[in-house]
Each structure stands twice: as C-alpha cells, then as structure tokens.
Coordinates of all heavy atoms in Angstrom, one line a residue:
M26 N 6.6 15.3 0.8 CA 7.0 13.9 0.8 C 6.0 13.0 1.5 O 5.7 12.0 1.0 CB 8.3 13.8 1.6 CG 9.1 12.5 1.5 SD 9.4 11.9 -0.2 CE 10.4 13.2 -0.9
I27 N 5.4 13.5 2.5 CA 4.4 12.8 3.2 C 3.1 12.5 2.3 O 2.6 11.5 2.3 CB 4.0 13.4 4.5 CG1 5.2 13.3 5.5 CG2 2.7 12.8 5.1 CD1 4.9 14.1 6.8
D28 N 2.8 13.5 1.5 CA 1.6 13.4 0.6 C 1.9 12.3 -0.5 O 1.0 11.6 -0.8 CB 1.3 14.7 0.0 CG 2.4 15.4 -0.8 OD1 3.6 15.0 -0.5 OD2 2.1 16.2 -1.6
V29 N 3.1 12.2 -0.9 CA 3.5 11.1 -1.9 C 3.3 9.8 -1.2 O 2.7 8.8 -1.8 CB 4.9 11.3 -2.5 CG1 5.3 10.2 -3.3 CG2 4.9 12.7 -3.2
A30 N 3.8 9.6 0.0 CA 3.7 8.3 0.7 C 2.3 8.0 1.0 O 1.9 6.9 0.9 CB 4.6 8.4 2.0
L31 N 1.5 9.0 1.3 CA 0.1 8.8 1.6 C -0.7 8.3 0.2 O -1.4 7.3 0.3 CB -0.7 10.0 2.0 CG -0.4 10.5 3.4 CD1 -0.9 11.9 3.7 CD2 -1.0 9.4 4.4
G32 N -0.3 8.8 -0.8 CA -0.8 8.3 -2.1 C -0.4 6.9 -2.4 O -1.1 6.2 -3.0
M33 N 0.9 6.6 -2.0 CA 1.3 5.3 -2.2 C 0.5 4.2 -1.3 O 0.1 3.1 -1.8 CB 2.8 5.1 -1.9 CG 3.7 5.8 -3.0 SD 5.5 5.8 -2.5 CE 5.9 4.1 -2.7
V34 N 0.2 4.7 -0.2 CA -0.5 3.8 0.8 C -2.0 3.6 0.3 O -2.5 2.5 0.2 CB -0.5 4.3 2.2 CG1 -1.4 3.5 3.1 CG2 1.0 4.2 2.8
M35 N -2.5 4.7 -0.2 CA -3.9 4.7 -0.7 C -4.0 3.8 -1.9 O -4.9 3.0 -2.0 CB -4.3 6.1 -1.1 CG -4.5 7.0 0.0 SD -4.7 8.8 -0.4 CE -6.3 8.6 -1.4
A36 N -3.0 3.9 -2.8 CA -3.0 3.0 -4.0 C -2.8 1.5 -3.7 O -3.5 0.7 -4.2 CB -1.9 3.4 -5.0
T37 N -1.9 1.2 -2.8 CA -1.6 -0.1 -2.4 C -2.7 -0.8 -1.6 O -3.1 -1.9 -1.8 CB -0.3 -0.2 -1.6 OG1 0.7 0.4 -2.3 CG2 0.0 -1.6 -1.2
E38 N -3.3 0.0 -0.7 CA -4.3 -0.5 0.2 C -5.8 -0.3 -0.3 O -6.7 -1.0 0.3 CB -4.2 0.1 1.6 CG -2.9 -0.2 2.3 CD -2.6 -1.7 2.5 OE1 -3.6 -2.4 3.0 OE2 -1.6 -2.2 2.3
G39 N -5.9 0.6 -1.2 CA -7.3 0.8 -1.7 C -8.1 1.5 -0.7 O -9.2 1.2 -0.5
C40 N -7.5 2.4 0.1 CA -8.2 3.1 1.1 C -8.3 4.6 0.9 O -7.7 5.1 0.0 CB -7.4 2.8 2.5 SG -5.7 3.5 2.5
S41 N -9.0 5.2 1.8 CA -9.2 6.7 1.7 C -8.0 7.4 2.2 O -7.1 6.8 2.9 CB -10.4 7.1 2.5 OG -10.1 7.0 3.9
L42 N -7.9 8.8 2.1 CA -6.8 9.5 2.5 C -6.8 9.4 4.1 O -5.7 9.3 4.6 CB -6.9 11.0 2.1 CG -6.0 12.0 2.6 CD1 -4.5 11.6 2.2 CD2 -6.3 13.4 2.2
D43 N -7.9 9.6 4.7 CA -8.0 9.5 6.2 C -7.4 8.1 6.7 O -6.7 8.0 7.7 CB -9.4 9.7 6.7 CG -9.8 11.2 6.5 OD1 -9.0 12.0 6.4 OD2 -11.1 11.4 6.5
E44 N -7.9 7.0 6.0 CA -7.4 5.7 6.4 C -5.8 5.6 6.2 O -5.2 5.0 7.0 CB -8.1 4.6 5.6 CG -9.5 4.5 6.0 CD -10.4 3.7 5.1 OE1 -10.1 3.7 3.8 OE2 -11.3 2.9 5.6
A45 N -5.4 6.1 5.1 CA -3.9 6.1 4.8 C -3.2 6.9 5.9 O -2.1 6.4 6.3 CB -3.6 6.7 3.5
W46 N -3.7 8.0 6.3 CA -3.1 8.8 7.4 C -3.0 8.0 8.6 O -2.0 7.9 9.3 CB -3.9 10.1 7.6 CG -3.3 10.9 8.7 CD1 -3.8 11.0 9.9 CD2 -2.1 11.7 8.6 NE1 -3.0 11.9 10.7 CE2 -2.0 12.3 9.9 CE3 -1.2 12.0 7.6 CZ2 -1.0 13.2 10.2 CZ3 -0.2 12.9 8.0 CH2 0.0 13.4 9.2
E47 N -4.1 7.3 9.0 CA -4.1 6.5 10.2 C -3.1 5.3 10.2 O -2.4 5.0 11.1 CB -5.5 6.0 10.5 CG -6.5 6.9 10.9 CD -6.2 7.7 12.2 OE1 -5.7 7.0 13.1 OE2 -6.3 8.9 12.3
I48 N -3.0 4.7 8.9 CA -2.0 3.6 8.8 C -0.5 4.2 9.0 O 0.3 3.6 9.7 CB -2.1 3.0 7.4 CG1 -3.4 2.2 7.3 CG2 -0.9 2.2 7.0 CD1 -3.8 1.7 5.9
M49 N -0.3 5.3 8.4 CA 1.0 5.9 8.4 C 1.4 6.3 9.9 O 2.4 6.1 10.5 CB 1.2 7.1 7.5 CG 1.2 6.8 6.1 SD 2.7 6.1 5.5 CE 3.8 7.6 5.7
V50 N 0.4 7.0 10.6 CA 0.6 7.4 12.0 C 0.8 6.2 12.9 O 1.7 6.2 13.7 CB -0.6 8.3 12.4 CG1 -0.6 8.5 13.9 CG2 -0.6 9.6 11.7
H51 N -0.1 5.2 12.7 CA 0.1 4.0 13.5 C 1.5 3.3 13.3 O 2.1 3.0 14.3 CB -1.0 3.0 13.2 CG -0.9 1.7 14.0 ND1 -1.2 1.6 15.3 CD2 -0.5 0.5 13.6 CE1 -1.0 0.4 15.7 NE2 -0.6 -0.3 14.7
S52 N 1.9 3.2 12.1 CA 3.2 2.6 11.8 C 4.3 3.5 12.4 O 5.3 2.9 12.9 CB 3.4 2.5 10.3 OG 4.6 1.8 10.0
S53 N 4.2 4.8 12.3 CA 5.2 5.7 12.8 C 5.3 5.5 14.4 O 6.4 5.4 14.9 CB 4.8 7.2 12.5 OG 5.6 8.1 13.1
Q54 N 4.2 5.4 15.1 CA 4.2 5.3 16.5 C 4.7 3.9 16.9 O 5.5 3.7 17.9 CB 2.8 5.5 17.0 CG 2.3 6.9 16.9 CD 0.9 7.1 17.3 OE1 0.1 6.2 17.4 NE2 0.5 8.5 17.5
R55 N 4.3 2.9 16.2 CA 4.7 1.5 16.5 C 6.2 1.3 16.3 O 6.8 0.5 17.1 CB 3.9 0.5 15.6 CG 4.1 -0.9 15.9 CD 3.2 -1.8 15.2 NE 3.1 -1.5 13.8 CZ 4.0 -1.9 12.9 NH1 5.0 -2.5 13.2 NH2 3.8 -1.6 11.6
T56 N 6.8 1.9 15.3 CA 8.2 1.7 15.0 C 9.0 2.8 15.6 O 10.3 2.8 15.5 CB 8.4 1.6 13.5 OG1 8.0 2.9 12.9 CG2 7.7 0.5 12.9
N57 N 8.4 3.8 16.3 CA 9.1 4.9 16.9 C 10.0 5.6 15.9 O 11.1 5.9 16.0 CB 9.9 4.4 18.1 CG 10.4 5.6 19.0 OD1 9.7 6.6 19.0 ND2 11.5 5.5 19.6
T58 N 9.3 5.9 14.7 CA 9.9 6.6 13.6 C 9.1 7.8 13.3 O 7.9 7.7 13.2 CB 10.0 5.6 12.4 OG1 10.6 4.4 12.7 CG2 10.8 6.2 11.2
K59 N 9.8 9.0 13.1 CA 9.1 10.1 12.7 C 8.4 9.9 11.4 O 8.9 9.2 10.5 CB 10.1 11.3 12.5 CG 10.6 11.7 13.9 CD 11.5 13.0 13.7 CE 12.0 13.5 15.0 NZ 11.0 14.3 15.7
L60 N 7.2 10.4 11.3 CA 6.4 10.3 10.1 C 7.1 10.7 8.9 O 7.1 10.0 7.8 CB 5.0 11.1 10.3 CG 4.0 10.8 9.2 CD1 3.5 9.3 9.3 CD2 2.8 11.7 9.5
H61 N 7.8 11.8 8.9 CA 8.6 12.3 7.7 C 9.6 11.2 7.3 O 9.8 11.0 6.1 CB 9.2 13.6 8.0 CG 9.9 14.2 6.8 ND1 11.2 13.9 6.6 CD2 9.5 14.9 5.8 CE1 11.6 14.5 5.4 NE2 10.5 15.1 4.9
T62 N 10.3 10.7 8.3 CA 11.3 9.6 8.0 C 10.7 8.4 7.4 O 11.2 7.8 6.4 CB 12.0 9.3 9.3 OG1 12.7 10.4 9.8 CG2 13.2 8.2 9.1
L63 N 9.6 8.0 7.9 CA 8.8 6.8 7.4 C 8.4 7.1 5.9 O 8.6 6.2 5.0 CB 7.6 6.5 8.2 CG 6.8 5.3 7.9 CD1 7.7 4.0 8.2 CD2 5.5 5.2 8.7
A64 N 7.9 8.3 5.7 CA 7.5 8.7 4.4 C 8.6 8.7 3.3 O 8.5 8.2 2.2 CB 6.8 10.0 4.3
L65 N 9.8 9.2 3.9 CA 11.0 9.3 3.1 C 11.4 7.9 2.6 O 11.7 7.6 1.6 CB 12.1 10.0 3.8 CG 13.3 10.4 3.0 CD1 13.0 11.3 1.8 CD2 14.3 11.1 3.9
R66 N 11.5 7.0 3.6 CA 11.8 5.6 3.4 C 11.0 5.0 2.3 O 11.4 4.3 1.4 CB 11.9 4.8 4.6 CG 13.0 5.1 5.6 CD 12.9 4.3 6.8 NE 13.9 4.7 7.8 CZ 13.8 4.3 9.1 NH1 12.9 3.6 9.5 NH2 14.8 4.8 9.9
L67 N 9.7 5.1 2.5 CA 8.7 4.5 1.6 C 8.9 5.0 0.2 O 8.9 4.3 -0.8 CB 7.2 4.8 2.1 CG 6.1 4.2 1.3 CD1 6.2 2.8 1.4 CD2 4.8 4.8 1.8
T68 N 9.0 6.4 0.0 CA 9.1 6.9 -1.4 C 10.5 6.6 -2.0 O 10.6 6.4 -3.1 CB 8.8 8.4 -1.3 OG1 9.7 9.1 -0.4 CG2 7.3 8.7 -1.0
E69 N 11.5 6.7 -1.2 CA 12.9 6.5 -1.8 C 13.1 5.1 -2.2 O 13.8 4.8 -3.2 CB 14.0 6.9 -0.7 CG 14.2 8.4 -0.7 CD 15.4 8.7 0.3 OE1 15.8 7.9 1.0 OE2 15.7 9.9 0.2
S70 N 12.6 4.1 -1.5 CA 12.8 2.8 -1.9 C 11.8 2.2 -2.8 O 11.9 1.1 -3.3 CB 12.8 1.9 -0.5 OG 11.5 1.9 0.0
S71 N 10.7 3.0 -3.0 CA 9.6 2.5 -3.8 C 9.0 1.2 -3.2 O 8.6 0.4 -4.0 CB 9.9 2.4 -5.3 OG 10.2 3.6 -5.8
A72 N 9.2 1.1 -1.9 CA 8.7 -0.1 -1.3 C 7.2 -0.1 -1.1 O 6.6 0.9 -1.1 CB 9.4 -0.2 0.1
S73 N 6.7 -1.3 -1.0 CA 5.3 -1.4 -0.7 C 5.1 -1.2 0.8 O 6.0 -1.5 1.6 CB 4.7 -2.7 -1.1 OG 5.2 -3.7 -0.3
P74 N 3.9 -0.9 1.3 CA 3.7 -0.7 2.7 C 4.0 -2.0 3.5 O 4.4 -2.0 4.7 CB 2.3 -0.3 2.9 CG 2.0 0.4 1.6 CD 2.8 -0.3 0.5
V75 N 3.9 -3.1 2.8 CA 4.1 -4.4 3.5 C 5.6 -4.4 4.0 O 5.8 -4.9 5.1 CB 3.9 -5.6 2.5 CG1 4.4 -6.9 3.1 CG2 2.4 -5.7 2.2
S76 N 6.5 -4.0 3.2 CA 7.9 -4.1 3.6 C 8.2 -3.1 4.8 O 9.2 -3.3 5.4 CB 8.8 -3.8 2.4 OG 8.7 -2.4 2.0
L77 N 7.3 -2.2 5.0 CA 7.6 -1.3 6.1 C 6.8 -1.7 7.4 O 6.7 -1.0 8.3 CB 7.1 0.1 5.8 CG 8.0 0.8 4.7 CD1 7.5 2.2 4.3 CD2 9.5 0.9 5.1
G78 N 6.1 -2.8 7.2 CA 5.4 -3.4 8.4 C 4.0 -2.9 8.5 O 3.3 -3.0 9.5
L79 N 3.5 -2.3 7.5 CA 2.1 -1.7 7.4 C 1.2 -2.9 7.1 O 1.5 -3.8 6.3 CB 1.9 -0.6 6.4 CG 2.8 0.6 6.7 CD1 2.6 1.6 5.6 CD2 2.4 1.2 8.0
P80 N -0.1 -2.9 7.5 CA -1.0 -3.9 7.1 C -1.3 -3.8 5.6 O -1.1 -2.7 5.0 CB -2.3 -3.6 7.9 CG -2.1 -2.2 8.4 CD -0.6 -1.9 8.4
H81 N -1.5 -5.0 5.0 CA -1.7 -5.0 3.5 C -2.9 -5.8 3.2 O -3.0 -6.9 3.7 CB -0.4 -5.6 2.9 CG -0.6 -5.6 1.4 ND1 -0.6 -4.6 0.6 CD2 -0.7 -6.7 0.6 CE1 -0.7 -4.9 -0.7 NE2 -0.7 -6.2 -0.7
S82 N -3.9 -5.3 2.4 CA -5.0 -6.0 2.1 C -5.2 -6.2 0.6 O -6.1 -6.9 0.1 CB -6.2 -5.3 2.7 OG -6.3 -4.0 2.2
A83 N -4.5 -5.5 -0.2 CA -4.7 -5.6 -1.7 C -4.1 -6.9 -2.2 O -3.1 -7.4 -1.7 CB -3.9 -4.4 -2.4
P84 N -4.7 -7.5 -3.2 CA -4.2 -8.8 -3.8 C -3.0 -8.5 -4.6 O -2.8 -7.4 -5.1 CB -5.4 -9.2 -4.7 CG -6.1 -8.0 -5.0 CD -6.0 -7.1 -3.8
P85 N -2.1 -9.5 -4.7 CA -0.9 -9.2 -5.5 C -1.2 -9.0 -7.0 O -2.2 -9.7 -7.5 CB -0.1 -10.5 -5.3 CG -1.1 -11.5 -4.8 CD -2.2 -10.8 -4.2
A86 N -0.4 -8.2 -7.5 CA -0.6 -7.9 -9.0 C 0.0 -9.2 -9.8 O 0.9 -9.7 -9.4 CB 0.2 -6.6 -9.4
P87 N -0.7 -9.5 -11.0 CA -0.2 -10.6 -11.7 C 1.2 -10.2 -12.4 O 1.5 -9.0 -12.5 CB -1.2 -10.7 -12.9 CG -1.9 -9.4 -12.9 CD -1.9 -8.8 -11.5
S88 N 2.0 -11.2 -12.6 CA 3.3 -10.9 -13.1 C 3.1 -10.5 -14.6 O 2.1 -10.8 -15.2 CB 4.2 -12.2 -13.0 OG 3.7 -13.2 -13.9
R89 N 4.2 -10.0 -15.2 CA 4.1 -9.5 -16.6 C 4.0 -10.7 -17.5 O 3.3 -10.7 -18.5 CB 5.4 -8.8 -17.0 CG 5.4 -7.4 -16.3 CD 6.6 -6.6 -16.8 NE 6.6 -5.4 -16.0 CZ 7.0 -4.3 -16.6 NH1 7.4 -4.2 -17.8 NH2 7.0 -3.2 -15.9
S90 N 4.6 -11.9 -17.1 CA 4.4 -13.1 -17.9 C 3.0 -13.6 -17.9 O 2.5 -14.1 -18.9 CB 5.4 -14.2 -17.5 OG 5.2 -14.6 -16.2
E91 N 2.4 -13.5 -16.8 CA 0.9 -13.9 -16.7 C 0.0 -13.0 -17.5 O -0.9 -13.5 -18.2 CB 0.4 -13.9 -15.2 CG 0.9 -14.9 -14.4 CD 0.5 -14.8 -12.9 OE1 0.4 -13.7 -12.4 OE2 0.4 -15.9 -12.3
E92 N 0.3 -11.7 -17.5 CA -0.5 -10.7 -18.3 C -0.3 -11.0 -19.7 O -1.2 -11.0 -20.5 CB -0.1 -9.3 -17.9 CG -0.6 -8.9 -16.5 CD -0.1 -7.5 -16.2 OE1 0.7 -6.9 -17.0 OE2 -0.6 -6.9 -15.2
A93 N 1.0 -11.3 -20.2 CA 1.3 -11.4 -21.6 C 0.6 -12.8 -22.1 O 0.2 -12.9 -23.3 CB 2.8 -11.5 -21.8
S94 N 0.6 -13.8 -21.3 CA 0.1 -15.1 -21.7 C -1.5 -15.1 -21.6 O -2.1 -16.1 -22.0 CB 0.7 -16.2 -21.0 OG 0.3 -16.1 -19.6
G95 N -2.1 -14.2 -20.9 CA -3.5 -14.2 -20.7 C -3.9 -15.0 -19.5 O -5.1 -15.4 -19.4
N96 N -2.9 -15.5 -18.8 CA -3.3 -16.4 -17.6 C -3.5 -15.6 -16.3 O -3.8 -16.3 -15.3 CB -2.2 -17.4 -17.3 CG -2.0 -18.4 -18.4 OD1 -2.9 -18.7 -19.2 ND2 -0.8 -18.9 -18.7
A97 N -3.5 -14.3 -16.4 CA -3.8 -13.6 -15.1 C -5.3 -13.6 -14.8 O -6.1 -13.5 -15.6 CB -3.4 -12.1 -15.3
A98 N -5.6 -13.9 -13.6 CA -6.9 -14.1 -13.1 C -7.5 -12.6 -13.0 O -6.9 -11.7 -12.5 CB -7.0 -14.7 -11.7
A99 N -8.7 -12.5 -13.4 CA -9.4 -11.3 -13.3 C -9.9 -11.1 -11.9 O -10.1 -12.1 -11.2 CB -10.7 -11.2 -14.3
P100 N -10.1 -9.9 -11.4 CA -10.7 -9.7 -10.1 C -12.0 -10.4 -9.9 O -12.8 -10.6 -10.9 CB -10.8 -8.1 -10.0 CG -9.9 -7.6 -11.0 CD -9.8 -8.6 -12.1
D101 N -12.3 -10.7 -8.7 CA -13.6 -11.4 -8.4 C -14.8 -10.8 -8.9 O -15.7 -11.5 -9.4 CB -13.7 -11.6 -6.9 CG -12.8 -12.6 -6.3 OD1 -12.3 -13.5 -7.1 OD2 -12.5 -12.6 -5.1
H102 N -14.9 -9.5 -8.9 CA -16.1 -8.8 -9.5 C -16.2 -8.9 -11.0 O -17.2 -8.7 -11.5 CB -16.1 -7.3 -9.0 CG -15.0 -6.5 -9.7 ND1 -13.7 -6.4 -9.2 CD2 -15.0 -5.6 -10.8 CE1 -13.0 -5.6 -10.0 NE2 -13.8 -5.2 -11.0
L103 N -15.1 -9.4 -11.6 CA -15.2 -9.6 -13.0 C -15.5 -11.1 -13.4 O -15.7 -11.5 -14.5 CB -13.9 -9.2 -13.8 CG -13.6 -7.7 -13.7 CD1 -12.3 -7.4 -14.4 CD2 -14.7 -6.9 -14.3
N104 N -15.4 -12.0 -12.4 CA -15.6 -13.4 -12.5 C -16.8 -13.8 -11.6 O -16.7 -14.5 -10.6 CB -14.4 -14.2 -11.9 CG -13.2 -14.0 -12.9 OD1 -13.4 -13.9 -14.2 ND2 -12.1 -14.1 -12.4
P105 N -18.0 -13.4 -12.0 CA -19.2 -13.8 -11.1 C -19.4 -15.2 -11.1 O -19.1 -15.9 -12.1 CB -20.4 -13.1 -11.9 CG -19.9 -12.8 -13.3 CD -18.4 -12.8 -13.2
V106 N -19.9 -15.7 -10.0 CA -20.1 -17.1 -9.7 C -21.5 -17.4 -10.2 O -22.5 -16.6 -9.9 CB -19.9 -17.5 -8.3 CG1 -20.3 -18.9 -8.0 CG2 -18.5 -17.1 -7.8
A107 N -21.7 -18.4 -11.0 CA -23.0 -18.8 -11.4 C -23.9 -19.3 -10.3 O -23.4 -20.0 -9.4 CB -22.9 -19.9 -12.5
P108 N -25.1 -18.9 -10.2 CA -26.0 -19.3 -9.1 C -26.3 -20.8 -9.1 O -26.2 -21.6 -10.0 CB -27.3 -18.5 -9.3 CG -27.2 -17.9 -10.6 CD -25.8 -18.1 -11.2

C-alpha cells in the first residue's frame, strides 16, 4: 500500500522516490499519523497529496472541456518565449 501511495506522490509532485518518501514521512510525523494509515487514506480516496496537507508543486491539469476545445495551455517548455 505504501508503494502505491509513493507512486501517487511521485506522479503528482514530479519528484523522485526518495523525495516522495521524505514527503510521506514528514506528513506522517506532522499529522501524527502512521505512514501506513496515511498511505491507505491517500490510495482509498484517490485524493491528491494536497488534500492530505502535503506540499504541492505540480500545475493543475486542464479540464476535459479545455482539452476538447483546444484551449488548454501547453506547458511552458512547449511555449518558448521569443527573444
């Protein structure tokens, strides 16, 4: 269960396994919640780390309507700024 939660944190935060582990451990200690319990809550609710009080740095995903209409903004690395 913890490995699934770590994968969720890695995907959401765009971080390494070690960084995801540190995020989970810090959150566990800060909330006085066993790591297994925190992982279980994360995976059962399919919640993002933000809802569990974890730091979040990934940009929000475009909505389905934005994707369908083509109005979704591309990531910055795909929108280079002209010099």
Side-chain angles (χ1 to χ4, degrees):
M26 190 59 56
I27 292 174
D28 58 338
V29 174
L31 286 170
M33 291 175 72
V34 172
M35 290 169 62
T37 303
E38 296 300 315
C40 62
S41 70
L42 177 60
D43 290 338
E44 292 168 324
W46 177 258
E47 289 299 318
I48 290 170
M49 292 283 293
V50 167
H51 177 73
S52 181
S53 171
Q54 292 172 346
R55 187 173 43 80
T56 61
N57 196 27
T58 306
K59 289 186 179 278
L60 191 61
H61 182 270
T62 302
L63 186 68
L65 188 63
R66 288 179 186 164
L67 181 65
T68 56
E69 281 184 346
S70 67
S71 297
S73 71
V75 171
S76 66
L77 294 177
L79 298 175
H81 180 70
S82 59
S88 69
R89 290 183 186 220
S90 61
E91 288 176 328
E92 288 176 349
S94 67
N96 291 334
D101 288 338
H102 68 278
L103 297 179
N104 291 326
V106 177

